[in-house]
Amino acid sequence: MKRIRFGIIGCGNVTEVKSGPGFQKAEHCELVAVMRRDAALAEDYARRHGVPRWYADAGELIGDPDVDAVYIATPPGSHLEYALAAAKAGKPVYVEKPMALSGEECSRMIAACREAQVPLYVAYYRRALPRFLKVKELLEAGAIGDVRYAAMVQYQPAPQAKEGEIPWRLQPELSGGGLFFDLASHTLDLFDFLLGPIAEAKGIASNQQGQYAGIEDIVTATYRFESGVHGIGSWCFSAFAREDRNEIVGSLGKLSFSTFGHEPIRLDTADGTQLFPFEPPQHIQQPLIQTVVNDLLGFGVCASTGESAARTNRVMDELVKGFYSPQS
């Protein structure tokens, strides 16, 4: 059977364990090239991970005839540029999350890939993890009856950085905003997967602590899914401790789980409490990567596409509207 040969643009930290080895271990898949602007770091990554070729120029990797598909693992600020280039070369795109800086950029990426007739996938890998597939299974089996309400809560201490340095995740021109864009995007996309698209969302974003001027460090939200389910969300990145809690409440019970933790899923009903434990995979993106490969080979479907990921960007745009000026 044919193998899909991937090249990575931006072989930084996320590719060391979470994703990079997943391309080497997924069935019918190979990692044949990597790129980083620092040539020495690109060469070092290739040597350590046994990748045959490395580049310091993204255009050279995209143009490599042995690269069938491109994984864009740079910060979101360059996702649009590289996705357009890969689409123009006729190569499928797998891009890190969030998909781009804004919903408008997502639309441009979708249009370019559609015109080039190449698939566009996004690395919202929770859509393929057994832990969250179990949540979806319980919902579809009616374990909590008719779904009424959803809640997302996340808070944590303010990020620390060396004096004079601002992490790229806190630079809107690179990330789209603050930690809300990097972390809440996972939860919002997960709930899109579990409960369907959000039809309406309203939010308030602020900078309460003032540590990093010009970015949000708290966002609160209300939203309604197309199904009629209501929900609330709160994300605070200057709190005293850490909390990561999601709830889905129905007519017959409640499901509780975290986005980033690995504790068991909890199901509460009139009959009592059930716990469903899961062990995380060694390479957290490998299950989703496998669905991408299967989709490209024509015997499977990937649940995380440009269209689904763009919905998350558009919801985030709406929730911070008023804090940031519209992004192009």
Side-chain angles (χ1 to χ4, degrees):
M1 180 176 289
K2 178 184 175 183
R3 298 174 69 82
I4 303 298
R5 300 169 297 179
F6 271 89
I8 298 178
I9 296 176
C11 49
N13 287 340
V14 72
T15 69
E16 289 288 347
V17 177
K18 288 184 176 182
S19 61
F23 292 97
Q24 296 170 307
K25 294 183 178 182
E27 295 179 356
H28 315 302
C29 185
E30 291 181 65
L31 179 58
V32 298
V34 295
M35 171 270 166
R36 196 164 179 174
R37 285 179 296 177
D38 186 317
L41 291 178
E43 182 179 17
D44 174 69
Y45 185 98
R47 176 184 55 77
R48 289 186 293 104
H49 289 274
V51 180
R53 291 187 295 288
W54 58 269
Y55 297 98
D57 180 87
E60 292 183 11
L61 181 140
I62 292 170
D64 186 331
D66 290 331
V67 171
D68 300 317
V70 177
Y71 167 39
I72 302 169
T74 61
S78 55
H79 288 182
L80 173 64
E81 173 191 354
Y82 292 138
L84 295 185
K88 186 176 181 180
K91 300 194 175 182
V93 177
Y94 176 62
V95 63
E96 265 302 327
K97 46 59 57 186
M99 180 175 163
L101 294 180
S102 66
E104 190 275 336
E105 286 196 354
C106 293
S107 295
R108 292 175 63 187
M109 293 165 67
I110 291 169
C113 289
R114 183 180 294 127
E115 181 179 356
Q117 298 184 328
V118 296
L120 172 59
Y121 310 100
V122 182
Y124 282 117
Y125 52 82
R126 283 169 175 78
R127 288 176 175 250
L129 290 179
R131 170 179 165 83
F132 300 110
L133 292 175
K134 183 63 178 181
V135 175
K136 192 170 181 67
E137 175 191 312
L138 290 167
L139 290 169
E140 292 177 349
I144 63 170
D146 296 325
V147 179
R148 307 297 194 202
Y149 164 81
M152 314 168 186
V153 175
Q154 183 179 6
Y155 57 81
Q156 64 188 54
Q160 301 299 314
K162 295 180 181 178
E163 187 174 354
E165 294 184 4
I166 300 179
W168 70 261
R169 287 179 173 83
L170 303 180
Q171 299 180 46
E173 67 277 12
L174 297 179
S175 65
L179 290 180
F180 171 75
F181 283 78
D182 185 51
L183 299 177
S185 59
H186 276 293
T187 304
L188 289 165
D189 180 82
L190 175 59
F191 272 72
D192 181 286
F193 175 63
L194 296 173
L195 300 179
I198 289 176
E200 180 183 8
K202 297 179 181 179
I204 302 172
S206 301
N207 182 303
Q208 289 184 327
Q209 182 160 303
Q211 181 177 3
Y212 298 99
I215 65 162
E216 86 296 331
D217 60 15
I218 186 169
V219 177
T220 55
T222 58
Y223 46 88
R224 178 181 59 82
F225 292 87
E226 289 181 359
S227 64
V229 174
H230 284 215
I232 62 171
S234 59
W235 298 268
C236 178
F237 301 103
S238 60
F240 78 105
R242 292 180 179 270
E243 180 75 23
D244 173 12
R245 173 170 39 88
N246 302 312
E247 295 180 346
I248 301 177
V249 178
S251 59
L252 299 176
K254 178 179 74 171
L255 284 165
S256 305
F257 53 94
S258 67
T259 300
F260 299 96
H262 303 296
E263 73 287 343
I265 299 161
R266 178 179 175 125
L267 170 63
D268 290 298
T269 67
D271 295 327
T273 297
Q274 288 181 269
L275 300 178
F276 301 91
F278 289 90
E279 287 295 323
Q282 180 183 7
H283 309 294
I284 202 74
Q285 288 198 30
Q286 186 175 340
L288 183 66
I289 290 168
Q290 189 66 67
T291 71
V292 170
V293 173
N294 294 350
D295 193 294
L296 289 172
L297 291 174
F299 58 86
V301 175
C302 178
S304 186
T305 65
E307 286 80 4
S308 64
R311 294 196 294 266
T312 291
N313 262 92
R314 292 179 188 123
V315 169
M316 292 192 296
D317 287 351
E318 192 64 29
L319 295 183
V320 302
K321 187 169 65 177
F323 184 83
Y324 294 103
S325 58
Q327 299 176 29
S328 60

